[in-house]
Amino acid sequence: MRITVVGSGYVGLCTAAGFASLEHEVICVDVDKNKVDCINRGEPPIYEEGLGELLAKAVKTGKLSATQNIGTVKDTDFIFIAVGTPSKQDGNIDLKYIEKASEDIGNFIKNNDATVVVKSTVLPGTTENTVIPAIERVSGKTVGKGFGVCVNPEFLREGKALDDFFNPDRIVIGGYDRESCDRLQELYSSFNCPIKRTSIKTAELIKYASNAFLATKITFINEIGNLCKTLDIDVNEVAEGMGLDKRIGGHFLQAGIGFGGSCFGKDVSALLRKTDESGDKSRILETVLSVNAAQPLRIVSLLEKRADIRNRAVAILGLAFKEGTDDVRDAPSIPVVTELLRRGCSVRCYDPKASENMKKIFPNLTYTGSAAEALNAADACLILTGWEEFASLTDKDFSAMNNRIIIEGRKILDPEKVSGYEGVCW
Ligand code: NAD
């Protein structure tokens, strides 16, 4: 099949590289020239495990290329929309990228037939009230006749995006017309998972409800973790005991410094606003956001209980919102660093992949090339991302610190190798 993917970020590029590796002919479209150039050189503009190899191969074999202009695409069976849907200041979804992408696609559809697939996360009603009208207005065609439309939400986890692309738990297809849904289902025919077909609005809500549920689950175990800390109980054992119950399940029961990333916060906020708009209230989601906002700050409070940290050197290990990615959007490291700077601390940080992105937010921190360098002469150390390499740190690595205070926000240190540290909830 010929596939065009509009938006070459974490979702668009992983989707594009995944389909190209399955022998489809894929064209990425992005407004960002730097991204387009990187992709055409076979170099991913983002870090995601395994993406480098997959992309290099796909570009070399001519299965994948990138352009800034969808007008240069010759023929395509599918046009995936994978542009960002960030939050506005008030928490509402910002549709400006969706609107522009839909108009560009409308221009293309004027002279071409294709199935448009909305992969971006959009609130119920967006495809029907924003995407389709924009394409119809610009193309002069009518949905179901001149072009098809499906909603196919993305559930990948950054850091495991390609694994999730090839082995999804489920594929959701929300469709306007049966023919488009059949075509999209055919594209996914080699995938070994349930395919759930729904209406457009239902598919849109499945994505929000899933993210809101996962954010709630994380927040719940964090509250239990906070209680465990005061009762001197290991929350990880509690979570393990809970997770053995099939009705609960062990995933997303790792207590820590809260969720971050580009999706959970913005999607929960958008769903909250949508609920307000409907005349109702979601007290659960309101609480999830406020509990989660406070969670990263607990590690700073714990640190303050141990020592007067004003004007001291604090080593931060891990900046990305989670391991396996260079993404720092909404990362818990941001409020932690902000609080440390407010206390006059000098912050020395190390992250194997995310330092360049963090420099755009905090240009004046000291960024080191290794954990050892960050720890050297530090008065305290906070571990904020569960990068696997931190699991191999030993007492010897921490011995270069001035003052041995070590607090982990993600459970990653090996107690056999490191002594005398504590966790945010354990
Ligand atoms: P991103 O910000 O990494 O990428 C979006 C890309 O779209 C950027 O490269 C941007 O330059 C490009 N773009 C913007 N307007 C464009 C236009 N008119 N034409 C072409 N390109 C355009 O975003 P992302 O993290 O990949 O997320 C994309 C969507 O997928 C969002 O709706 C998000 O909520 C959803 N999603 C993200 C994840 C995730 O883990 N990142 C997971 C599931 C779903």
Side-chain angles (χ1 to χ4, degrees):
M1 300 266 195
R2 294 154 306 176
I3 297 170
T4 303
V5 182
V6 179
S8 307
Y10 289 86
V11 167
L13 192 53
C14 291
T15 303
F19 278 130
S21 77
L22 297 174
E23 299 297 310
H24 297 292
E25 285 173 27
V26 184
I27 298 183
C28 295
V29 182
D30 204 288
V31 287
D32 184 331
K33 182 175 184 311
N34 181 40
K35 281 193 181 172
V36 167
D37 291 345
C38 273
I39 295 168
N40 282 328
R41 287 197 303 271
E43 296 165 9
I46 51 159
Y47 176 74
E48 181 61 44
E49 210 172 277
L51 183 59
E53 296 79 355
L54 216 59
L55 185 65
K57 190 168 168 219
V59 170
K60 200 167 162 209
T61 54
K63 287 285 170 202
L64 189 150
S65 62
T67 173
Q68 276 187 282
N69 180 4
I70 192 172
T72 62
V73 174
K74 291 266 178 305
D75 277 310
T76 192
D77 299 297
F78 297 98
I79 305 173
F80 281 80
I81 301 182
V83 299
T85 47
S87 281
K88 290 184 187 165
Q89 280 291 338
D90 64 359
N92 260 313
I93 185 170
D94 187 344
L95 290 176
K96 63 174 183 271
Y97 302 118
I98 289 283
E99 283 160 4
K100 176 71 173 64
S102 305
E103 286 167 4
D104 294 347
I105 292 168
N107 239 321
F108 177 82
I109 292 282
K110 249 185 218 168
N111 306 310
N112 298 275
D113 197 358
T115 300
V116 178
V117 184
V118 180
K119 195 162 249 320
S120 297
T121 302
V122 292
L123 283 168
T126 307
T127 301
E128 281 159 310
N129 301 329
T130 302
V131 176
I132 292 174
I135 299 174
E136 287 184 331
R137 180 168 42 79
V138 177
S139 68
K141 292 187 178 176
T142 306
V143 66
K145 296 198 181 104
F147 66 100
V149 171
C150 298
V151 170
N152 173 218
E154 180 54 62
F155 299 101
L156 64 75
R157 296 160 299 168
E158 282 180 30
K160 299 269 179 246
L162 291 171
D163 212 25
D164 288 343
F165 174 84
F166 292 111
N167 305 294
D169 287 340
R170 79 303 208 182
I171 290 165
V172 174
I173 298 176
Y176 194 83
D177 57 294
R178 174 185 284 269
E179 230 179 86
S180 305
C181 294
D182 288 349
R183 242 177 282 150
L184 187 58
Q185 186 157 350
E186 173 63 26
L187 178 66
Y188 283 118
S189 58
S190 64
F191 287 67
N192 183 23
C193 70
I195 293 188
K196 171 86 183 148
R197 283 176 60 157
T198 69
S199 72
I200 284 191
K201 274 199 288 203
T202 306
E204 290 168 330
L205 188 55
I206 286 173
K207 172 64 191 174
Y208 278 93
S210 302
N211 270 3
F213 184 81
L214 292 172
T216 306
K217 195 171 177 188
I218 295 171
T219 306
F220 177 85
I221 197 65
N222 285 339
E223 277 208 336
I224 296 291
N226 297 341
L227 175 66
C228 284
K229 184 81 184 171
T230 64
L231 299 180
D232 199 19
I233 294 171
D234 184 347
V235 64
N236 301 291
E237 276 193 74
V238 175
E240 219 180 299
M242 288 169 64
L244 291 171
D245 184 329
K246 289 195 197 68
R247 294 167 303 174
I248 297 174
H251 295 292
F252 280 72
L253 274 188
Q254 287 79 32
I257 44 172
F259 61 76
S262 67
C263 292
F264 283 170
K266 81 163 171 77
D267 292 348
V268 172
S269 296
L271 189 56
L272 197 54
R273 294 285 90 80
K274 191 74 186 170
T275 314
D276 288 347
E277 223 179 271
S278 76
D280 242 317
K281 279 255 165 272
S282 172
R283 286 190 288 277
I284 290 182
L285 297 186
E286 262 170 14
T287 307
V288 165
L289 288 181
S290 63
V291 170
N292 191 64
Q295 195 66 14
L297 306 181
R298 294 183 83 92
I299 201 165
V300 180
S301 306
L302 281 175
L303 182 55
E304 281 184 313
K305 272 191 204 156
R306 299 275 301 271
D308 181 359
I309 56 162
R310 278 171 302 168
N311 306 319
R312 294 307 177 95
V314 179
I316 299 279
L317 302 189
L319 299 166
F321 84 94
K322 65 186 285 201
E323 66 280 10
T325 179
D326 60 352
D327 200 345
V328 298
R329 290 178 289 184
D330 259 352
S333 57
I334 297 172
V336 171
V337 168
T338 304
E339 285 306 308
L340 294 176
L341 293 177
R342 257 173 24 96
R343 287 157 177 77
C345 299
S346 67
V347 179
R348 307 164 53 76
C349 21
Y350 167 67
D351 188 289
K353 298 291 175 195
S355 293
E356 288 311 309
N357 282 337
M358 200 63 159
K359 280 181 195 168
K360 295 174 198 155
I361 303 170
F362 296 110
N364 298 325
L365 307 181
T366 302
Y367 292 90
T368 67
S370 67
E373 235 184 292
L375 291 170
N376 192 25
D379 296 301
C381 167
L382 302 181
I383 298 172
L384 304 184
T385 312
W387 284 104
E388 195 51 43
E389 68 174 76
F390 300 151
S392 52
L393 290 171
T394 64
D395 274 331
K396 192 158 168 265
D397 296 300
F398 291 101
S399 64
M401 294 173 71
N402 267 349
N403 190 12
R404 206 187 143 90
I405 301 176
I406 307 160
I407 311 178
E408 58 174 2
R410 305 287 183 207
K411 192 165 174 56
I412 187 69
L413 291 178
D414 181 346
E416 307 252 301
K417 295 181 184 149
V418 185
S419 54
Y421 69 90
E422 65 175 312
V424 67
C425 301
W426 51 96

